[in-house]
Amino acid sequence: MFPQQLNDTRAFDIARALIEGFNRHYRLFREASAQAKDRFERADWHGQQRAQRERIEFYDLRVREAAERLQTEFQAGSLGMDVWQQVKLHYIGLLTNHHQPELAETFFNSVTTKILHRDYFHNDFIFVRPAASTEYIENDEPAAKPTFRAWYPTRETLRDTLAAIVRSFDLQGAWEGFERDLDDVHAAADAAIGRDRLRTNFQLQVLSSLFFRNKGAYVIGKIVNGHVETPFALPILHSAAAGGLCIDAALFGEDDLQRLFSFVRAYFLVEMEIPSAYVQFLRSLMPRKPRSEIYNALGLQKQGKTLFFRDFQFHLRHSTDRFRIAPGIKGMVMLVFDLPSYPFVFKLIKDFYPPQKDTSRALIKSKYLLVKQHDRVGRMADTLEFSNVAFPRARFTDALIAEIEKFAPSLLEISDRDGDGHEEVILKHVYIERRMIPLNIYLQDATPAQLEHAVIEYGNAIKDLVAANIFPGDMLWKNFGVMRHNKVVFYDYDEIEYVTDCHFRRVPEPRNEEEEMSGEVWYTVRPGDVFPETFGPFLLGNPAVRRVFLQHHADLLDATFWQGHQARIRAGHVHDVFPYEQDKRFSHHRPRTQQEHSP
């Protein structure tokens, strides 16, 4: 029964302490994002990477601070249900004119669930459902920037308008060939609009902040003409040839924006007063993209988790199929299961591993954290990490329960919380990833053309990872997946290492006939040693695969390839991968004397 009166003064003080904790968090988050512009202008790529990595850690630090404050000042863990119900009601009142209410609700959940028993994990005490609306939030202060600006060109003034849009962001630094790039942007925009008559409402709507990631700054907007809305993005880089700023491409359409905001890429740094307004605008550009993934792309991954879990619970309520052991080759370290009707897989770290896997739960979790904090270069899937997740027992097959009891019993609890005979499966730790077709399964049914493309993509994926200082460790085909548009990505992280931490060696020449004929490894192998020429027997048993691989990626079997990348990384070179096809680049048609960089 909800309280009839708010009569406990501690409740308001706790609510105020919680909102102060959140406000401190979001102020620091915005500062880190706002500083991205200065780092971009100075071409401080290492600083940009460091800021992206550190910002991910902000949230958990602030949650820990807030939980400790509540325990110290209010002995929060010993307070009764009636107090916590009042805390939530006071907190809702404090969100009335807040500019980030949905994030503040998630922060409330994060702090209170660290303190309260899971009996409290329902809507009376935490925000299982949102309480504050995020519709039409704007900062009414005179000096505040609107979420987006609208520009109203004619066909004759379109080029000047595009120039004004780019210059409105006031990027400091000389431009290299601005008029030439502007001609390219104008031609691309004119082609996207087509020869249809410009309607009365013809306009360009552009978000007020640039989107920064690695070496790129992105202008994000849409063209509105009648009932047609065309999304666009303009990547701005530092020219590799001359060092000045340049517009590298003009991306138009939902597919290009989907690739730009993909879950296999690093999070953007964006200065946002009202994140929900940015998400609403971006959703209008990419209506098929879940709001959870848009929040993730903006670096608000905790809010992304909240929305993902709400969507997941909604799906469970409106489906009847059962969780099962995922099809495919079983892993030695992870137990994987799925729900056939849902496009994600669930991964549990097993309690024990075969002798060849010298690892531990803590080490595996550290690898997944590394991927979360690292630039995923479009080749590693993002993961969502959950603790103490409850599922209906009736939705699990008996075979899956038996599998978990055998391989991960420490993570499993089955309880009847309400005493009504409806059992729950509680998983103490689980990773959730987007489902993909395992590459080994894809190759089994591929046409010759599909096989060739997939093998080329596989090698490109490894090379992109290596350039970003990631050695996959276990490079078997089953550890890679095929996404939409047939892009190949890596998703098994328990053996990844930094390239710079490995020792890439050639297999020594045998010293005698006995060593040459030996079926065992006769040379010394130290921790961290990698022998690329030995990859072949494990990867290239299929003659068709072998032919394509050796034609396009034979260098992956040569230690000098890996050593060369090690040397470049150690020298401070920051390489990245374009989040759009090469033929989208204006500069693709202009010669460059240096190795090209990307956003």
Side-chain angles (χ1 to χ4, degrees), residues 226-263:
H227 297 296
V228 178
E229 296 187 356
T230 305
F232 72 85
L234 304 179
I236 301 172
L237 311 182
H238 285 256
S239 167
L245 299 174
C246 68
I247 305 172
D248 192 62
L251 310 177
F252 287 94
E254 182 184 354
D255 283 348
D256 281 349
L257 270 291
Q258 287 269 14
R259 292 188 185 96
L260 188 61
F261 285 82
S262 172
F263 64 91

Side-chain angles (χ1 to χ4, degrees), residues 40 77 109 117 154 197 203 217 271 274 325 329 353 362-363 365 374 376 392 399 434 510 518 540 566 575 587:
F40 172 78
N109 289 352
H117 186 270
T154 63
R197 180 169 64 86
Q203 60 189 283
E271 205 289 306
I274 302 165
I325 301 168
I329 300 173
Y353 324 102
L363 183 59
K365 291 173 76 171
H374 200 79
R376 292 185 292 280
R434 175 74 68 168
S518 174
L540 306 180
Q566 272 187 325
H575 177 82
S587 53

Side-chain angles (χ1 to χ4, degrees), residues 178-298:
F178 181 75
E179 296 299 325
R180 174 202 60 208
D181 290 343
L182 192 60
D183 286 340
D184 289 336
V185 173
H186 181 216
D190 202 47
I193 296 166
R195 304 318 301 170
D196 292 342
R197 180 169 64 86
L198 300 189
R199 305 295 176 177
T200 304
N201 68 337
F202 179 68
Q203 60 189 283
L204 276 63
Q205 296 179 1
V206 181
L207 286 167
S208 295
S209 292
L210 288 168
F211 285 57
F212 295 95
R213 185 168 64 199
N214 302 334
K215 298 176 182 175
Y218 296 83
V219 178
I220 305 291
K222 61 182 173 182
I223 300 170
V224 179
N225 189 27
H227 297 296
V228 178
E229 296 187 356
T230 305
F232 72 85
L234 304 179
I236 301 172
L237 311 182
H238 285 256
S239 167
L245 299 174
C246 68
I247 305 172
D248 192 62
L251 310 177
F252 287 94
E254 182 184 354
D255 283 348
D256 281 349
L257 270 291
Q258 287 269 14
R259 292 188 185 96
L260 188 61
F261 285 82
S262 172
F263 64 91
V264 295
R265 298 201 173 273
Y267 305 136
F268 283 105
L269 293 157
V270 191
E271 205 289 306
M272 301 172 292
E273 167 78 8
I274 302 165
S276 61
Y278 272 73
V279 170
Q280 184 174 341
F281 188 96
L282 291 167
R283 191 82 193 279
S284 74
L285 311 184
M286 301 172 285
R288 293 177 296 162
K289 195 167 192 65
R291 285 189 305 143
S292 59
E293 290 187 12
I294 297 176
Y295 273 103
N296 287 343
L298 297 175

Side-chain angles (χ1 to χ4, degrees), residues 413-484:
E413 178 184 338
I414 299 178
S415 70
D416 179 10
R417 189 181 71 179
D418 298 324
D420 58 2
H422 294 100
E423 290 183 323
E424 286 185 323
V425 170
I426 299 164
L427 297 178
K428 297 177 183 177
H429 185 264
V430 60
Y431 292 109
I432 304 176
E433 288 179 2
R434 175 74 68 168
R435 180 195 285 134
M436 287 171 269
I437 304 172
L439 185 53
N440 62 308
I441 293 176
Y442 180 88
L443 291 173
Q444 291 172 8
D445 301 320
T447 66
Q450 290 171 333
L451 182 144
E452 180 176 23
H453 176 82
V455 173
I456 293 171
E457 264 288 285
Y458 165 80
N460 289 339
I462 293 172
K463 289 176 177 177
D464 289 343
L465 292 171
V466 172
N469 198 21
I470 292 291
F471 173 57
D474 190 342
M475 291 165 50
L476 293 176
W477 305 94
K478 70 181 181 69
N479 296 324
F480 292 75
V482 182
M483 296 171 52
R484 283 181 66 231

Side-chain angles (χ1 to χ4, degrees), residues 518-561:
S518 174
E520 303 294 328
V521 175
W522 49 266
Y523 45 88
T524 302
V525 179
R526 298 182 298 272
D529 280 354
V530 180
F531 300 88
E533 64 199 272
T534 66
F535 297 163
F538 298 98
L539 301 176
L540 306 180
N542 182 320
V545 167
R546 180 180 180 84
R547 177 186 59 79
V548 176
F549 184 92
L550 293 179
Q551 180 180 350
H552 295 275
H553 299 302
D555 50 352
L556 289 174
L557 306 180
D558 187 344
T560 57
F561 166 84

Side-chain angles (χ1 to χ4, degrees), residues 343-589:
F344 291 83
V345 296
F346 302 76
K347 304 171 76 170
L348 306 176
I349 302 175
K350 293 182 177 180
D351 285 358
F352 49 87
Y353 324 102
Q356 63 266 40
K357 291 285 188 178
D358 183 17
T359 189
S360 66
R361 185 182 303 278
L363 183 59
I364 294 165
K365 291 173 76 171
S366 74
K367 305 290 187 181
Y368 276 76
L369 180 61
L370 184 158
V371 173
K372 173 70 72 176
Q373 296 177 340
H374 200 79
D375 179 10
R376 292 185 292 280
V377 298
R379 296 297 188 176
M380 291 190 288
D382 196 8
T383 57
L384 298 172
E385 183 179 9
F386 287 91
S387 300
N388 297 314
V389 186
F391 304 82
R393 167 63 180 89
R395 298 296 294 274
F396 278 64
T397 63
D398 291 340
L400 175 55
I401 291 294
E403 189 86 352
I404 299 173
E405 288 176 335
K406 179 178 179 180
F407 292 105
S410 70
L411 299 181
L412 177 66
E413 178 184 338
I414 299 178
S415 70
D416 179 10
R417 189 181 71 179
D418 298 324
D420 58 2
H422 294 100
E423 290 183 323
E424 286 185 323
V425 170
I426 299 164
L427 297 178
K428 297 177 183 177
H429 185 264
V430 60
Y431 292 109
I432 304 176
E433 288 179 2
R434 175 74 68 168
R435 180 195 285 134
M436 287 171 269
I437 304 172
L439 185 53
N440 62 308
I441 293 176
Y442 180 88
L443 291 173
Q444 291 172 8
D445 301 320
T447 66
Q450 290 171 333
L451 182 144
E452 180 176 23
H453 176 82
V455 173
I456 293 171
E457 264 288 285
Y458 165 80
N460 289 339
I462 293 172
K463 289 176 177 177
D464 289 343
L465 292 171
V466 172
N469 198 21
I470 292 291
F471 173 57
D474 190 342
M475 291 165 50
L476 293 176
W477 305 94
K478 70 181 181 69
N479 296 324
F480 292 75
V482 182
M483 296 171 52
R484 283 181 66 231
H485 310 296
N486 295 322
K487 186 179 181 70
V488 171
V489 301
F490 183 57
Y491 56 58
D492 194 328
Y493 307 140
D494 60 276
E495 291 192 20
I496 64 170
E497 300 284 352
Y498 289 118
V499 168
T500 47
D501 288 343
C502 300
H503 309 288
F504 295 99
R505 298 173 52 195
R506 293 182 183 276
V507 174
E509 291 292 330
R511 293 166 296 186
N512 52 53
E513 185 178 356
E514 181 181 354
E515 290 182 347
E516 185 174 7
M517 301 303 292
S518 174
E520 303 294 328
V521 175
W522 49 266
Y523 45 88
T524 302
V525 179
R526 298 182 298 272
D529 280 354
V530 180
F531 300 88
E533 64 199 272
T534 66
F535 297 163
F538 298 98
L539 301 176
L540 306 180
N542 182 320
V545 167
R546 180 180 180 84
R547 177 186 59 79
V548 176
F549 184 92
L550 293 179
Q551 180 180 350
H552 295 275
H553 299 302
D555 50 352
L556 289 174
L557 306 180
D558 187 344
T560 57
F561 166 84
W562 303 82
Q563 293 163 354
H565 273 287
Q566 272 187 325
R568 280 190 287 274
I569 295 166
R570 287 170 176 160
H573 175 74
V574 177
H575 177 82
D576 205 348
V577 179
F578 294 95
Y580 42 89
E581 299 298 330
Q582 285 288 323
D583 60 9
K584 301 278 187 183
R585 303 185 64 208
F586 302 144
S587 53
H588 181 68
H589 305 290

